[in-house]
Amino acid sequence: MVTEIKLGLCNPPEPIYLHVKSGELNGESYLWYNYDINNDQTIPVHKTGLIGYISELNPQRV
């Protein structure tokens, strides 16, 4: 499969900050989540695939 990359000008995409932690919400498990700092809560991401370019990894031990 070959995907054509179109060149030109555009607005850069907004960064997405994903965190990794196994969890469960309403009987559905998840591995990825976003953190809403304003409301001090985690927001599960139920999708299992990650597509895109990773620009930085910050390993942290809890």
Side-chain angles (χ1 to χ4, degrees), residues 19-59:
H19 305 272
V20 180
K21 178 179 89 175
S22 292
E24 187 175 309
L25 179 67
N26 298 329
E28 193 172 345
S29 62
Y30 64 91
L31 178 62
W32 305 96
Y33 70 92
N34 298 102
Y35 182 71
D36 183 353
I37 195 168
N38 296 325
N39 295 317
D40 191 31
Q41 73 180 72
T42 59
I43 303 166
V45 177
H46 295 287
K47 294 184 169 66
T48 57
L50 180 62
I51 300 171
Y53 297 101
I54 297 174
S55 62
E56 185 176 341
L57 292 174
N58 293 320

